[in-house]
Amino acid sequence: MPGIQSISPLAVPCLFTSSRRIVRVAATARNPRLSFESMALKPPLHPTYDLKEIIKLALAEDAGGQGDVTSMATIPVDMEVEANFLAKEDGIIAGIALADLVFHEVDPSLKVEWSQKDGDYIHKGLQFGKVFGRAHNIVVAERVALNFMQRMSGIATLTKKMADAAYPACILETRKTAPGLRLVDKWAVLIGGGRNHRMGLFDMVLIKDNHISIAGGIKNAIKSVDLYLEQKNLQMEVEVETRTLEEVHEVLNYASQTNTSLTRIMLDNMVVPLPNGDVDTSMLKEAVDLINGRFETEASGNVTLETIHKIGQTGVTYISSGALTHSVKALDISLKIDTELALLVGRRTKRA
């Protein structure tokens, strides 16, 4: 996958520049025993998400209350081995820090070493880490660690491609994440060089089409939000979805007449697909020009690897893509004790 490199502030400015968020809703790591200080890129904050419990749940569903019957039958209890992580595809590695937590949860005595860090580019055939200790516990942790790493690496790899193509716009994911894996999926987006959209329903106001329909129009919806935030003494980002240039004009007219809490305007489905596979971004460009920097802008809809560069050239601040997390293709990674045989088989099947 040419062009994919390790993340740096120069290569991905969207990741390292501050957003215009006024005040974030207080959010702290729920489990104080987990330390993220040594991580290359820390997970996003969430007030109720317990990463340790997610790991325990993943291990418990694998064990089913019985444990690994195959390992108990075939592996001597005191046997120690070394297993190596092997990349079977090119991509951006993500989930190394999470894999560390998985191995520690299964057996704190396991020794895990890495030659790469989250956000680094790995190539097919690369051995990029190893774990040493009791064979039974390594095998128990193996699949859960790999499931997290493969999914996160797939998200990070696609995010990196999209972020590079979107420049100078910033790429965002959405709430279209796997249930129970919200923080994990959004962490992978950060590792890939993207920016996080709202974490959930609690940390940002996002007025979408259904809210607008129920409120009786876009002006009424924004006005209701302004009143609610004032009454509750809350300060947070407020975004409104617009679907037509008329709605953009209505939002701008309202904002010119009142002190609104609005910070961002979403321009939804203003990228029009053409029969030849190209897209017409003229409507989006017109909307961005109308807003003229008064608010952040976010393009949504018809965002693909093929269209995102053209969308990013319109001057829009952000481009959001649900596909980053809802249509992820896992990156192929394995953990092998007999690395030599694994490489031999991998070469035979063109996967190493």
Side-chain angles (χ1 to χ4, degrees):
M1 189 162 44
I4 293 186
Q5 303 294 332
S6 299
I7 297 169
S8 73
L10 294 178
V12 193
C14 290
L15 181 58
F16 296 90
T17 54
S18 61
S19 71
R20 286 181 55 195
R21 177 160 295 187
I22 303 169
V23 175
R24 286 186 181 273
V25 173
T28 57
R30 190 176 180 184
N31 193 326
R33 292 173 293 176
L34 287 180
S35 173
F36 303 118
E37 293 308 313
S38 61
M39 294 180 179
L41 189 61
K42 300 176 182 64
L45 295 176
H46 191 288
T48 61
Y49 198 97
D50 192 331
L51 194 55
K52 189 178 180 69
E53 288 303 313
I54 294 298
I55 292 169
K56 285 182 175 180
L57 180 63
L59 291 166
E61 73 176 357
D62 221 12
Q66 299 297 320
D68 183 355
V69 293
T70 309
S71 292
M72 287 187 286
T74 61
I75 300 175
V77 66
D78 295 327
M79 178 177 283
E80 293 190 332
V81 297
E82 179 178 286
N84 292 275
F85 286 92
L86 179 66
K88 294 184 175 179
E89 284 185 277
D90 299 347
I92 297 296
I93 187 64
I96 283 177
L98 188 50
D100 277 338
L101 297 176
V102 172
F103 284 111
H104 185 270
E105 180 65 31
V106 172
D107 181 356
S109 72
L110 294 176
K111 297 177 176 61
V112 189
E113 297 178 3
W114 306 97
S115 61
Q116 307 293 315
K117 64 182 183 301
D118 282 327
D120 281 350
Y121 172 71
I122 57 173
H123 60 80
K124 185 167 67 172
L126 178 69
Q127 296 180 48
F128 61 92
K130 59 185 178 181
V131 54
F132 175 81
R134 287 183 61 197
H136 179 102
N137 290 338
I138 290 175
V139 175
V140 166
E142 172 192 0
R143 178 43 52 196
V144 171
L146 286 175
N147 282 350
F148 281 128
M149 291 179 71
Q150 289 179 302
R151 179 177 176 85
M152 290 182 71
S153 296
I155 292 171
T157 299
L158 179 57
T159 300
K160 180 68 169 98
K161 290 180 180 179
M162 297 279 265
D164 286 348
Y167 185 82
C170 299
I171 186 71
L172 306 170
E173 87 294 84
T174 67
R175 285 168 50 237
K176 296 173 184 177
T177 54
L181 295 181
R182 174 69 54 83
L183 184 140
V184 173
D185 283 0
K186 285 178 173 282
W187 189 3
V189 168
L190 291 180
I191 291 170
R195 285 277 293 275
N196 289 152
H197 209 300
R198 58 177 179 163
M199 186 59 58
L201 299 173
F202 61 91
D203 59 334
M204 178 185 187
V205 174
L206 177 46
I207 309 168
K208 292 183 66 67
D209 51 358
N210 284 337
H211 301 109
I212 292 167
S213 297
I214 294 168
I218 201 163
K219 179 180 175 180
N220 286 346
I222 303 172
K223 188 174 182 180
S224 295
V225 167
D226 286 338
L227 182 61
Y228 176 83
L229 294 180
E230 183 180 1
Q231 289 174 341
K232 299 295 183 179
N233 194 27
L234 292 173
Q235 289 182 299
M236 61 177 64
E237 277 190 319
V238 176
E239 180 174 12
V240 64
E241 175 184 338
T242 60
R243 296 155 291 179
T244 65
L245 293 176
E246 289 73 24
E247 285 188 329
V248 174
H249 277 293
E250 192 174 351
V251 170
L252 294 175
N253 182 57
Y254 171 80
S256 68
Q257 298 175 13
T258 186
N259 184 24
T260 180
S261 54
L262 185 68
T263 56
R264 187 186 306 174
I265 299 176
M266 180 187 292
L267 307 169
D268 189 46
N269 287 314
M270 295 190 187
V271 175
V272 182
L274 299 175
N276 64 359
D278 198 3
V279 287
D280 180 359
T281 58
S282 58
M283 183 180 179
L284 176 64
K285 180 70 166 63
E286 186 175 350
V288 171
D289 290 343
L290 279 172
I291 295 165
N292 194 28
R294 283 175 280 182
F295 300 97
E296 294 176 338
T297 52
E298 177 187 330
S300 176
N302 294 309
V303 177
T304 67
L305 265 176
E306 292 70 36
T307 64
I308 195 168
H309 178 71
K310 192 169 184 179
I311 297 170
Q313 300 307 301
T314 62
V316 71
T317 318
Y318 299 107
I319 304 171
S320 57
S321 170
L324 289 180
T325 55
H326 73 56
S327 300
V328 59
K329 176 185 177 296
L331 196 71
D332 198 356
I333 300 166
S334 64
L335 180 64
K336 296 297 181 182
I337 293 169
D338 190 341
T339 309
E340 186 175 339
L341 178 58
L343 285 169
L344 179 64
V345 174
R347 293 188 191 103
R348 187 177 71 217
T349 57
K350 310 298 184 187
R351 295 170 68 201

